[in-house]
Amino acid sequence: MALSKKETEEMKPHIDKAVEKCVGFHESTLVTTAMNCLASGYDKRKTADKLSSLLETSKASRLADRIFEILDGMRNTQPKSSKKRHHEGDSHGGKKTKFEENGVVSSKEQSTKEKSAKEQLSPNQIKDMMANAQKMIEERKKALSALRSSDTRHKGLEPPSVSVQRTEEKAKKIAQLQAQIQSKLSTGVLKIPGLNRPEVINKPTPLILDSQGRTVDVTGKEIQLTHVIPTLKANIRAKKREEFRQQLQEKTVEDISESSFFDPRISAKPSIRNKRALRFHEPGKFQQLADRMRMKAQLEKLQSEISQIARKTGISSATKLAQIAPKIETQVDEIPAVEWWDSVILTADTYLNEEGYPLIKAQTITNLVEHPIQVKPPSEPLKTVHMHVFLTKKERKKLRRQNRREAWKEEQEKIRLGLEPPPEPKLRISNLMRVLGTEAVQDPTKVEAHVKAQMAKRQKAHEDANASRKLTDEQRREKKIRRLQEDTSLGVHVTVYRVRELTNASKKFKIETNAKQLFMTGCVVMFKDCNVVVVEGGPKQQAKFK
């Protein structure tokens, strides 16, 4: 049956509580859906189907059951409507029924009978009634006093005979415990020195070892230390296992020695198979192996390149000779008498003999041309420079959308697993009534203050984040310098300017200041009609200086 608007409004706070209990937080959409279902006159199954679009099926069915329980409870507690009563009154036409008339008459008769009975009581009867009442009061007082006395006994106010008995029992128990301790000590499991003596030694007995490693006392006599027998089952099993292994080893040795066909060179395998223990590699072992393999591969590659170049240029014999020849440490500035490339075609260690003629091996000179190994220019970078891949605006938007969606999914998973609490609803003045609902109606001033405080908190968090990302004056200066300075390790660009006149001091100052600000070096050569300015730096610096 469909509910009226007033009834649905009355049920709203109860439905809100049921939703919060089921889901774990306030959800206005579920409340409105449930109220619409009740207003439309849906049954329990239809309501559960509607709620399952917003919730899981099990939770939706539970919530629907709870909502209809609340509805049944409200219908049962609600009295008959005033309209029905008014309708019944109208149908009778304002006339009282016989039942009502009889009721009125009977009540009047009862009152007249009571009055007559009171008038008929005599003074003696009244006295008897008073005496009976006093007796009942005295009996009640006795019962209360008996209860109080029993309470005081429970609290500890006992007669002296009971307390004496209790002390005797305690003394007996203490004596029994002492006897048990003495019996355990007398068995010899625990030997406490000086226990039966009048003077109890608190210090432990000193442990002295002789040259052979035996335990001796002060006089030098050997002492046999007491061995504590293991009581734990695990320790007892371990001891038994060790004894069994020793027995097996002894038996195998005896059996082998007794057998006539015994070869001492062959090792006998034990009957028990030992468990294979885990063997872990040392950290960094495979990394070292990989590094060695890489180095080996690089050396092989280098050697193959050298051999190919030597074969092409025809100086393989020279390289072999260079490998065989002993290495002599030469200084960098030292000029050799004969260069290494000329030593192959010369007969001696000099270019000219005493007569002034060169000493050349004729057989070494052929029609082949030797090309030197090409060396990379210093301006070329050592590492290969890869071109940056620039995405289009559409691709950048798509990538950002995907990343944000993944982050949102991860956050939702954490909330579902209970690792993080669910976030508070983002309140604004515009969505105040829609999110809070009845709470906003109950105390609007308090709710508005709460919303404004939340908005101020969000604004402050945003400003703090911006302030934390903001660079300081020093960082800004360093960034500016970093942008101006260029890497001149691979190559320096030099520009020469010719200026006709540099007599003006302001022009000189401009040239010097610009060079300093752009972190450039150079010099100025001044003459009458021809002044030269030489500037060194990177390509960007040169463009700005120009």
Side-chain angles (χ1 to χ4, degrees):
M1 193 178 85
L3 295 177
S4 63
K5 195 174 182 182
K6 189 180 178 182
E7 286 173 339
T8 50
E9 285 295 327
E10 284 175 4
M11 276 194 73
K12 190 179 179 182
H14 299 292
I15 293 165
D16 204 351
K17 284 179 184 176
V19 168
E20 198 168 343
K21 194 175 180 182
C22 185
V23 182
F25 55 89
H26 177 75
E27 185 60 49
S28 56
T29 51
L30 286 170
V31 176
T32 50
T33 309
M35 285 174 69
N36 290 335
C37 290
L38 292 172
S40 302
Y42 288 177
D43 60 346
K44 199 185 288 182
R45 188 175 59 76
K46 274 192 176 182
T47 309
D49 290 341
K50 271 278 183 186
L51 293 169
S52 61
S53 60
L54 300 169
L55 273 174
E56 293 174 9
T57 315
S58 58
K59 282 187 178 180
S61 60
R62 262 187 277 147
L63 184 60
D65 292 341
R66 181 65 188 147
I67 288 162
F68 275 89
E69 280 175 16
I70 292 161
L71 181 64
D72 293 339
M74 280 188 73
R75 279 176 178 171
N76 291 334
T77 52
Q78 205 175 34
K80 290 179 182 179
S81 59
S82 57
K83 285 181 183 179
K84 201 169 185 181
R85 265 188 256 142
H86 186 67
H87 180 69
E88 284 172 4
D90 291 343
S91 64
H92 287 300
K95 292 178 183 178
K96 287 181 182 179
T97 57
K98 289 180 182 179
F99 179 74
E100 286 173 350
E101 285 174 3
N102 291 333
V104 172
V105 172
S106 60
S107 60
K108 281 180 182 179
E109 284 175 1
Q110 281 175 4
S111 62
T112 50
K113 281 178 183 178
E114 282 171 5
K115 281 178 185 178
S116 62
K118 281 177 185 177
E119 286 170 4
Q120 286 173 5
L121 283 170
S122 63
N124 293 328
Q125 285 175 346
I126 291 162
K127 280 180 184 179
D128 292 336
M129 282 172 72
M130 290 292 287
N132 288 330
Q134 282 176 358
K135 279 181 186 179
M136 284 172 76
I137 290 160
E138 283 174 5
E139 284 173 3
R140 187 67 181 157
K141 279 181 181 178
K142 283 178 185 178
L144 286 167
S145 62
L147 281 168
R148 281 173 191 167
S149 63
S150 65
D151 289 341
T152 51
R153 277 176 203 157
H154 284 299
K155 282 175 185 175
L157 300 170
E158 293 174 345
S161 61
V162 176
S163 61
V164 168
Q165 283 176 0
R166 289 197 175 183
T167 50
E168 284 175 1
E169 284 174 4
K170 282 181 183 178
K172 281 179 183 178
K173 282 181 181 178
I174 290 160
Q176 282 175 2
L177 284 168
Q178 285 176 352
Q180 284 176 5
I181 291 159
Q182 288 292 334
S183 65
K184 281 184 180 179
L185 289 169
S186 62
T187 52
V189 176
L190 295 168
K191 289 185 180 179
I192 299 167
L195 185 69
N196 299 323
R197 295 176 196 170
E199 296 176 0
V200 178
I201 299 162
N202 293 326
K203 293 180 182 178
T205 52
L207 184 69
I208 304 163
L209 300 172
D210 61 354
S211 58
Q212 294 178 358
R214 295 176 299 181
T215 311
V216 294
D217 59 359
V218 181
T219 57
K221 193 178 178 182
E222 190 180 347
I223 300 167
Q224 190 69 30
L225 292 171
T226 54
H227 295 286
V228 180
I229 300 159
T231 53
L232 283 171
K233 282 189 176 181
N235 294 340
I236 291 161
R237 284 192 200 117
K239 197 174 179 183
K240 281 181 180 177
R241 212 178 289 122
E242 284 176 9
E243 288 173 1
F244 183 63
R245 279 177 187 170
Q246 285 175 3
Q247 286 174 6
L248 277 171
Q249 285 172 3
E250 287 170 6
K251 278 181 182 178
T252 50
V253 171
E254 286 172 6
D255 293 343
I256 289 162
S257 59
E258 285 172 7
S259 62
S260 55
F261 307 101
F262 171 65
D263 191 353
R265 292 172 296 175
I266 299 164
S267 60
K269 289 182 180 178
S271 58
I272 298 166
R273 186 182 175 184
N274 294 325
K275 288 182 180 178
R276 290 183 185 177
L278 291 168
R279 292 179 185 177
F280 296 102
H281 294 289
E282 291 180 5
K285 182 185 174 182
F286 293 103
Q287 200 171 350
Q288 288 174 3
L289 283 167
D291 291 337
R292 282 179 200 163
M293 286 168 77
R294 284 192 205 102
M295 283 175 71
K296 196 176 177 183
Q298 283 175 358
L299 282 167
E300 285 175 1
K301 192 180 178 183
L302 198 67
Q303 283 175 1
S304 65
E305 283 177 5
I306 290 162
S307 63
Q308 281 174 7
I309 291 160
R311 227 178 279 117
K312 281 178 185 176
T313 53
I315 56 162
S316 56
S317 58
T319 52
K320 281 173 185 174
L321 283 166
Q323 285 175 1
I324 295 159
K327 290 179 181 178
I328 301 161
E329 291 182 2
T330 56
Q331 293 181 359
V332 178
D333 300 332
E334 188 182 345
I335 299 165
V338 177
E339 296 293 345
W340 65 270
W341 51 83
D342 293 331
S343 63
V344 182
I345 59 169
L346 292 171
T347 53
D349 291 339
T350 56
Y351 283 104
L352 301 170
N353 58 4
E354 293 174 358
E355 295 174 359
Y357 293 105
L359 304 167
I360 300 165
K361 291 177 186 176
Q363 66 270 16
T364 55
I365 296 167
T366 60
N367 60 347
L368 299 172
V369 180
E370 184 178 345
H371 297 280
I373 299 163
Q374 290 183 353
V375 181
K376 287 183 179 180
S379 61
E380 196 173 315
L382 298 170
K383 292 179 181 178
T384 54
V385 180
H386 299 286
M387 283 290 290
H388 290 287
V389 180
F390 295 102
L391 301 172
T392 60
K393 192 175 181 181
K394 194 175 180 182
E395 285 171 341
R396 285 201 300 274
K397 278 185 176 181
K398 187 180 179 182
L399 195 67
R400 181 175 178 274
R401 193 164 58 246
Q402 285 173 352
N403 292 338
R404 282 169 68 86
R405 181 142 189 88
E406 282 175 12
W408 177 79
K409 277 184 180 177
E410 193 176 344
E411 194 179 345
Q412 289 293 317
E413 282 293 325
K414 283 180 182 176
I415 291 163
R416 282 198 195 97
L417 293 167
L419 299 172
E420 285 184 7
E424 291 180 359
K426 195 173 180 181
L427 295 170
R428 292 189 293 274
I429 299 295
S430 57
N431 69 349
L432 177 66
M433 293 299 292
R434 191 171 67 252
V435 175
L436 296 175
T438 53
E439 291 176 20
V441 175
Q442 285 169 4
D443 197 347
T445 312
K446 186 182 174 182
V447 169
E448 191 179 349
H450 172 67
V451 171
K452 282 181 179 177
Q454 201 181 33
M455 287 164 72
K457 188 182 174 183
R458 285 201 299 271
Q459 181 70 20
K460 191 178 179 299
H462 175 70
E463 286 169 2
D464 290 344
N466 285 349
S468 66
R469 284 196 297 272
K470 192 179 179 183
L471 296 173
T472 59
D473 294 338
E474 289 181 5
Q475 287 172 340
R476 206 179 289 108
R477 201 179 299 113
E478 284 174 8
K479 187 181 177 183
K480 196 174 182 182
I481 290 163
R482 204 164 50 247
R483 287 180 71 183
L484 288 169
Q485 277 181 338
E486 286 188 73
D487 186 19
T488 55
S489 60
L490 298 173
V492 182
H493 291 249
V494 182
T495 314
V496 181
Y497 298 97
R498 180 179 174 273
V499 186
R500 286 186 180 180
E501 286 186 14
L502 268 179
T503 53
N504 194 351
S506 66
K507 288 183 180 178
K508 290 181 205 172
F509 176 76
K510 278 180 183 177
I511 290 164
E512 190 179 354
T513 310
N514 281 332
K516 279 181 182 177
Q517 285 176 349
L518 293 166
F519 301 97
M520 298 174 81
T521 54
C523 64
V524 179
V525 181
M526 295 177 70
F527 197 64
K528 287 180 183 179
D529 297 332
C530 181
N531 302 299
V532 178
V533 180
V534 183
V535 187
E536 298 171 342
K540 288 181 183 177
Q541 291 169 336
Q542 292 287 2
K544 283 181 182 177
F545 187 80
K546 189 176 179 180

